[in-house]
Amino acid sequence: MMLKRLLLLLKPITVFSPPSHTNPQILQFLENRRKVHHDAINFCQAILQKKSIEWKAVHRNNLSQPINDVDLVITLGGDGTLLQASHLMDDKIPVLGVNSDPTQIDEVEEFGSEFDARRSTGHLCAAIVENFEQVLDGILEGQIVPSELTRIVMSVNALHLPTFALNDILISHPCPASLSRFSFRIKEGDQPCSPLVNCRSSGLRVSTATGSTAAMQSAGGFPMPILSQDLQYMVREPISPGATSDHMHGLIKPDQTIVATWTCRKGVIYIDGSHINYTIKAGDIIEISSKAPVLKVLLPHQL
């Protein structure tokens, strides 16, 4: 891969201000996480200084415009930083995730009875600090190539939303304790290929293969091969599904679209978590499919 320009997208270094009664072990743990991330930034920047590449570093919170005019994006943080980058990327520029603060098994075992000592999961991150230069050289030499991950495209009343989801979307009432009312069916072209399903539930989740191991699996869904182009949908906590119970969970094929009609006064479409969301109202028609531009990601070996 010919690389001339590179963007290094950084998770911010968080300064913690915990209450005075906080467990000292937790304080030490949080401070160590901050230091590890800070050291990772310095280390990776030092590696890039040695390469014949033009590059710049930007904190992810300072990035709001589409990413272009670079040949590679490197995210330094965890999966959240890579997800944030994906919302500003098309299908031309590949992205490499570097997990700056991976979980330490000995810490989890030592502090497990006191607090959750897990760090960053980095499920999509192909590198950590220790092998960053090796992975980068593999990309520069063409030995490591990106994979194409499916994303979700949505429209509301035939108007496309500008953000594609890499993990999943959730359509629900703005208050999680409130009832969501909607109906949906799956279509292939203009032809229905499932019955109309009327739902009273806590919402509708749709995930990509990438997101199938996240909230979808936690809710009882199944993991999918990461390069699958199918989408998985699930009605969350349905109330008295009756004869349509077999249609509360299933797959949407690449040539299919799930079409939902929202019948609550208020609603929200959440994209890849809670930070990006769009409001909907009663009568709105939401169309969801995998026809979005793919995202090119340098994946870890295990995926």
Side-chain angles (χ1 to χ4, degrees):
M1 183 185 297
M2 289 296 295
L3 296 182
K4 296 182 179 179
R5 291 162 297 186
L6 184 152
L7 175 66
L8 182 64
L9 192 63
L10 306 175
K11 175 183 175 180
I13 299 173
T14 304
V15 178
F16 300 101
S17 299
S20 58
H21 61 268
T22 302
N23 183 330
Q25 287 184 319
I26 296 178
L27 292 178
Q28 184 177 2
F29 174 75
L30 295 176
E31 175 58 26
N32 180 258
R33 290 202 64 181
R34 188 198 66 79
K35 182 179 184 303
V36 168
H37 178 59
H38 179 269
D39 291 347
I41 291 174
N42 290 339
F43 180 87
C44 291
Q45 289 181 329
I47 295 297
L48 290 174
Q49 293 282 8
K50 300 191 300 181
K51 308 297 178 182
S52 300
I53 308 171
E54 178 185 340
W55 64 278
K56 64 177 180 179
V58 177
H59 285 279
R60 71 184 190 191
N61 293 347
N62 296 331
L63 194 66
S64 59
Q65 298 300 315
I67 298 172
N68 49 43
D69 297 328
V70 297
D71 303 306
L72 176 68
V73 174
I74 295 178
T75 62
L76 189 55
D79 289 333
T81 306
L82 194 152
L83 275 174
Q84 190 164 343
S86 76
H87 298 148
L88 298 170
M89 298 178 66
D90 58 19
D91 56 355
K92 299 179 181 63
I93 302 169
V95 57
L96 166 68
V98 181
N99 187 351
S100 63
D101 185 28
T103 292
Q104 308 296 323
I105 299 301
D106 56 340
E107 274 187 336
V108 175
E109 293 175 348
E110 180 180 356
F111 300 119
S113 62
E114 300 292 331
F115 60 91
D116 186 354
R118 290 173 294 182
R119 296 179 179 237
S120 176
T121 302
H123 180 67
L124 296 175
C125 296
I128 55 176
V129 166
E130 285 77 7
N131 69 349
F132 171 65
E133 185 169 18
Q134 177 185 354
V135 172
L136 180 61
D137 287 343
I139 296 170
L140 294 172
E141 296 164 7
Q143 298 173 354
I144 302 175
V145 296
S147 300
E148 295 185 348
L149 300 187
T150 294
R151 292 192 283 184
I152 301 172
V153 63
M154 297 137 284
S155 67
V156 177
N157 301 326
L159 296 176
H160 283 293
L161 299 185
T163 306
F164 307 124
L166 178 59
N167 263 1
D168 56 29
I169 66 166
L170 172 64
I171 309 174
S172 70
H173 191 281
C175 174
S178 294
L179 184 71
S180 295
R181 293 176 181 265
F182 58 94
S183 60
F184 73 89
R185 64 164 30 114
I186 297 173
K187 291 186 175 181
E188 189 170 322
D190 293 329
Q191 299 301 312
C193 47
S194 78
L196 182 68
V197 181
N198 297 309
C199 299
R200 293 185 303 157
S201 73
S202 60
L204 174 68
R205 187 183 301 279
V206 182
S207 85
T208 62
T210 304
S212 67
T213 57
M216 180 63 76
Q217 186 176 8
S218 297
F222 51 85
M224 302 160 64
I226 195 164
L227 299 183
S228 171
Q229 296 178 351
D230 295 343
L231 302 180
Q232 185 177 169
Y233 74 88
M234 177 182 288
V235 177
R236 300 171 74 229
E237 302 168 331
I239 299 173
S240 303
T244 58
S245 59
D246 290 343
H247 301 281
M248 295 291 165
H249 179 209
L251 292 175
I252 309 160
K253 296 297 181 181
D255 55 351
Q256 296 176 340
T257 301
I258 186 168
V259 182
T261 301
W262 191 251
T263 51
C264 279
R265 189 168 61 89
K266 296 180 180 180
V268 181
I269 301 174
Y270 297 99
I271 298 178
D272 287 336
S274 61
H275 297 296
I276 298 179
N277 58 78
Y278 298 91
T279 58
I280 53 176
K281 60 185 183 304
D284 282 348
I285 298 173
I286 305 105
E287 298 187 30
I288 306 157
S289 76
S290 60
K291 298 178 178 66
V294 298
L295 184 71
K296 294 183 177 178
V297 182
L298 285 306
L299 291 175
H301 289 301
Q302 63 268 27
L303 296 182

